[in-house]
Amino acid sequence: MSGTFPSSPAPSSISISTNQNTIVTTTASGRRQSRQIDGQRFKLRVTFPIMTRTQFAPILAFVVKQRSQIESFTFTPPTLDDSLGVASGTIRVNGAILAGVTSVAIDGMANSTSGVFKAGDFFRFTGQTKVYMVMADVSSNGSGQGTLTFEPPLRTGVSDNAILIYTNVDFTVGFTGDVQEFNISTANHFQYEVDLIEIL
C-alpha cells in the first residue's frame, strides 16, 4: 500500500464499471451455460480538468511513486463516496456472515426509517478493502434493524458487529498499465486521465 491518491484538484469526471470475468458457452440447440471464473472488481476511469504545472505536480509525483503497477493505493471518488440514503451513526452487522452470501442483517439504524440505504450506494465492511454495492433500498424496523442485499457475493467472512463504512468510501486500487501518459499544451496546461482497478 502506497498512500492515498491526491484529492486536489478534484476530477472533472469519473466513470465506473464492473469487471467480472465469466465463461459462457452456447450449444447448437441454443442452451446457454455460464459461470464466473474470478472475483468481481470495480474499475474507474478518472479524468481531470486542465491543470497548471503547480496543480499537476503532486499528482505526477504520486503516480511515479507507485512504480507502475507495483503498488496499490486508496482513491475516494467524489460524489460516489457517500450514501444516497439517510444513513447516519454506527450501523453494524447483526450476526456473523460467511463468504459467498449477498445479504446481511444489520442494526444500529434509526428506528422505523425508510431509505436508510438506496440501491446503488457503495459501502465496505471494516477490516476489508473490497467495496460492495447495495442492490435494493433498505428500511429499518421499530428496533433499527433491517436486511441489506448487495453484490458481488461477500469475498471473505465478516464477524458479528462489524461496522459498515458508507461515507467517504475509499477504493483500494492500482493502475491498469505500466505506462502513464499526460499531455502538455503550448500554454503549459496539463491534461491527465487515468484508469484504476480494484485490488483484491
Side-chain angles (χ1 to χ4, degrees):
M1 181 75 71
S2 185
T4 299
F5 198 95
S7 58
S8 180
S12 57
S13 67
I14 297 175
S15 63
I16 187 165
S17 58
T18 179
N19 185 25
Q20 191 160 19
N21 294 325
T22 57
I23 295 176
V24 179
T25 57
T26 305
T27 66
S29 65
R31 183 178 178 185
R32 180 178 180 269
Q33 292 183 327
S34 60
R35 66 185 177 94
Q36 182 179 329
I37 59 174
D38 65 0
Q40 181 271 357
R41 297 189 290 172
F42 289 109
K43 186 175 180 181
L44 301 97
R45 173 163 291 171
V46 184
T47 303
F48 290 89
I50 294 174
M51 296 172 280
T52 64
R53 181 179 179 185
T54 299
Q55 291 171 319
F56 180 61
I59 294 176
L60 178 59
F62 183 86
V63 168
V64 173
K65 181 182 177 183
Q66 306 313 307
R67 295 191 282 168
S68 297
Q69 299 181 75
I70 295 293
E71 299 289 351
S72 62
F73 51 93
T74 59
F75 176 77
T76 304
T79 305
L80 298 173
D81 60 335
D82 291 330
S83 170
L84 286 171
V86 296
S88 63
T90 302
I91 299 174
R92 299 177 184 271
V93 172
N94 187 8
I97 51 174
L98 301 175
V101 305
T102 55
S103 67
V104 58
I106 56 176
D107 57 20
M109 298 178 284
N111 296 344
S112 304
T113 302
S114 298
V116 176
F117 292 106
K118 292 285 191 177
D121 283 346
F122 291 100
F123 75 96
R124 63 181 180 84
F125 299 99
T126 51
Q128 295 192 14
T129 59
K130 179 72 186 93
V131 173
Y132 298 91
M133 181 183 284
V134 177
M135 291 292 104
D137 292 0
V138 178
S139 298
S140 64
N141 63 19
S143 300
Q145 300 169 328
T147 300
L148 174 69
T149 58
F150 59 89
E151 286 287 342
L154 187 66
R155 186 168 176 80
T156 58
V158 174
S159 62
D160 184 25
N161 287 322
I163 296 171
L164 272 66
I165 297 170
Y166 57 86
T167 58
N168 296 316
V169 178
D170 55 337
F171 290 68
T172 298
V173 295
F175 295 128
T176 60
D178 285 338
V179 177
Q180 296 299 313
E181 180 179 341
F182 59 91
N183 298 317
I184 309 172
S185 72
T186 54
N188 290 326
H189 290 150
F190 290 72
Q191 294 177 299
Y192 184 56
E193 181 178 85
V194 62
D195 289 323
L196 308 174
I197 193 162
E198 234 184 337
I199 302 298
L200 301 180

